[in-house]
Amino acid sequence: MTRIYLPCYGRTFWPSDAFVSQSLVNEEELNPRVFWPENTYAGRNRGHVYNVINYGATGNGRSDDSQAFLKAWRDVCSSAATVPVLLVPAGRTYLLTSVVFSGPCRPKSIHVQIQGTLIAPRMTSNSDKDKWIRFMDINALIVDGGGVIDGQGIDWWNACRSGHSCNDRPTALFFHNCNNLQLNGLKHVNSAKNHVSISGCQGVTFSNLHIVAPKDSPNTDGIDISKSQHINIQNSVISTGDDCIAINGFCSDINITGNGIYETVEQIQVKDCVMRETTNGARIKTWQGGSGYVRHITFENITVMAAKNPIIIDQNYAAMDTTRMTSGLQISDITYRGIHGSSAMAEAISLNCNNFNGCTNILLDDVKLTSITPGKRAFGICRDVSGKSISSYPSVPCLSS
């Protein structure tokens, strides 16, 4: 298994003006009591707006509104409009149990406007232990609106901490086989597990998202990506209890292809980020065994503030014996450029590769990392690594100058 991480025990920020809290469409235009003006988005669809309130949703935060949402979805999915709108009005809180919005659908595109707050039920003995809100087999889906998706994960976290299985928790928002997907402008909070996950999707844009959970909430990843290609994540703020962004196997451009034991990750760029008080900064880890490669990864223009491991490669993750590796994924062509800031540990750079493949063509270019402890020297360690260091500190013994 291979993962590229943006960690989130502290905070990872994209550009400082990233989070846009208000909808891209004027709220008055989406008021369920006001007819759509002809020059609005839905006006061009001749009023094909499907308001969940009209299907029986109460929005009182106590009654289950799931069936109302599903009834509205059935009409949206069969609509004759080019881009029908499923409207979740602002000013209300909608309780949903596990729901699946599935296609294929008749329209060329569907627009889901979440302006209110969606909340998950608190953990019960019959709670769904897989996914909470699912969108499946829908092309050109747009989900936006400036609303909130609240996973109410605290009971799940407490059960995990007390010895129950941490795997038996639902992902809050899951997209499967949704090509040309856009997710924009929503706030995602307190998921029981992953906040947003995609699988089997091509052509995805995540933008202006705000994803938040306490730093001690277990495995509350911000965005998890698997079996997907051509993914764009931009202008978002993510601060959760685990990985901000986790890229799993079978992704490309983000690009991963393979057959379960042969995995590849390549052509990944992480750029213009600030990582404050994170456990890990620019991190790559691979499990021992298996086959495949991780290559052409660039971390660029990143500021780290008091990160415990600002730069880390661990090719021996969970390995019991690192002295007799007989297989492993190849890691090559990894660039760290313009990485500046401070390390909470003296070991600011750790490149721990295995003796079977090692890590090749590793470049440190303009890396400046110092200890947060006054008078304490930061240092770098390495094992089975080759590459080059240009104007970087601390020095890494394996890399040539």
Side-chain angles (χ1 to χ4, degrees):
M1 181 181 291
T2 307
R3 280 188 154 192
I4 305 287
Y5 293 91
L6 287 182
C8 261
Y9 294 103
R11 292 177 176 264
T12 293
F13 294 93
W14 299 86
S16 59
D17 60 349
F19 180 55
V20 179
S21 60
Q22 62 186 22
S23 169
L24 298 181
V25 180
N26 189 299
E27 289 189 8
E28 292 181 358
E29 295 173 357
L30 289 176
N31 189 312
R33 296 186 296 274
V34 178
F35 185 76
W36 288 83
E38 194 59 31
N39 63 349
T40 67
Y41 182 82
R44 293 197 298 269
N45 294 318
R46 301 186 184 277
H48 286 282
V49 179
Y50 300 83
N51 187 330
V52 295
I53 298 298
N54 296 335
Y55 290 83
T58 63
N60 62 17
R62 299 181 303 276
S63 303
D64 184 359
D65 288 327
S66 302
Q67 290 306 310
F69 274 64
L70 292 173
K71 288 176 184 177
W73 176 257
R74 282 192 286 270
D75 283 356
V76 169
C77 192
S78 61
S79 174
T82 303
V83 187
V85 178
L86 177 66
L87 173 61
V88 182
R92 306 195 188 200
T93 299
Y94 306 84
L95 173 65
L96 300 180
T97 56
S98 179
V99 290
V100 181
F101 301 103
S102 61
C105 293
R106 180 181 178 185
K108 294 181 179 179
S109 176
I110 289 177
H111 188 175
V112 177
Q113 272 271 334
I114 301 173
Q115 292 202 321
T117 297
L118 308 184
I119 61 170
R122 300 291 289 266
M123 178 184 177
T124 63
S125 59
N126 58 358
S127 295
D128 188 281
K129 295 182 179 180
D130 184 20
K131 311 291 190 301
W132 173 32
I133 300 172
R134 282 175 277 193
F135 290 90
M136 303 177 66
D137 303 315
I138 307 159
N139 287 330
L141 174 65
I142 303 165
V143 183
D144 62 13
V148 178
I149 297 179
D150 184 351
Q152 295 209 104
I154 186 169
D155 292 339
W156 294 96
W157 307 335
N158 290 338
C160 175
R161 295 185 187 109
S162 63
H164 292 77
S165 173
C166 290
N167 295 323
D168 292 338
R169 295 176 291 153
T171 292
L173 184 59
F174 177 74
F175 298 93
H176 175 69
N177 195 26
C178 293
N179 297 330
N180 300 318
L181 166 68
Q182 297 180 46
L183 179 65
N184 173 69
L186 297 179
K187 185 173 183 179
H188 306 255
V189 300
N190 297 335
S191 177
K193 193 169 63 172
N194 303 341
H195 286 76
V196 181
S197 292
I198 63 171
S199 175
C201 299
Q202 295 197 29
V204 177
T205 298
F206 293 125
S207 61
N208 300 312
L209 302 180
H210 194 177
I211 304 177
V212 182
K215 65 180 181 181
D216 60 348
S217 57
N219 302 111
T220 52
D221 288 6
I223 299 172
D224 260 35
I225 303 169
S226 64
K227 302 179 182 177
S228 299
Q229 295 81 40
H230 312 300
I231 313 300
N232 188 24
I233 302 171
Q234 61 190 25
N235 298 337
S236 296
V237 176
I238 307 174
S239 177
T240 65
D242 203 351
D243 307 309
C244 286
I245 300 170
I247 303 170
N248 299 278
F250 307 103
C251 295
S252 164
D253 196 24
I254 305 168
N255 186 23
I256 296 179
T257 59
N259 61 12
I261 60 171
Y262 186 88
E263 296 188 346
T264 68
V265 176
E266 61 181 333
Q267 302 296 344
I268 307 297
Q269 184 178 59
V270 181
K271 185 177 181 180
D272 299 327
C273 299
V274 177
M275 302 179 182
R276 178 180 289 117
E277 298 178 1
T278 57
T279 295
N280 299 294
R283 181 190 192 191
I284 299 173
K285 79 175 184 183
T286 67
W287 272 253
Q288 69 277 17
S291 61
Y293 57 80
V294 177
R295 67 189 185 192
H296 301 300
I297 313 295
T298 299
F299 299 93
E300 186 172 6
N301 296 337
I302 294 175
T303 299
V304 293
M305 301 178 182
K308 290 184 178 178
N309 301 295
I311 294 177
I312 179 171
I313 296 177
D314 187 357
Q315 208 175 11
N316 301 298
Y317 184 77
M320 299 300 292
D321 183 357
T322 63
T323 63
R324 294 195 298 261
M325 296 297 294
T326 59
S327 65
L329 279 78
Q330 298 176 338
I331 296 180
S332 64
D333 302 298
I334 312 297
T335 297
Y336 303 91
R337 179 176 289 114
I339 314 294
H340 298 163
S342 58
S343 174
M345 308 292 288
E347 188 179 291
I349 301 174
S350 175
L351 308 179
N352 178 25
C353 299
N354 68 49
N355 62 345
F356 182 77
N357 287 328
C359 299
T360 60
N361 198 22
I362 308 300
L363 174 63
L364 300 181
D365 182 5
D366 184 27
V367 172
K368 300 291 186 297
L369 297 170
T370 60
S371 172
I372 62 171
T373 304
K376 193 168 186 178
R377 175 178 171 271
F379 64 91
I381 65 168
C382 58
R383 178 173 181 266
D384 297 306
V385 178
S386 64
K388 190 173 183 179
S389 176
I390 303 173
S391 300
S392 294
Y393 177 87
S395 63
V396 178
C398 302
L399 304 181
S400 62
S401 299

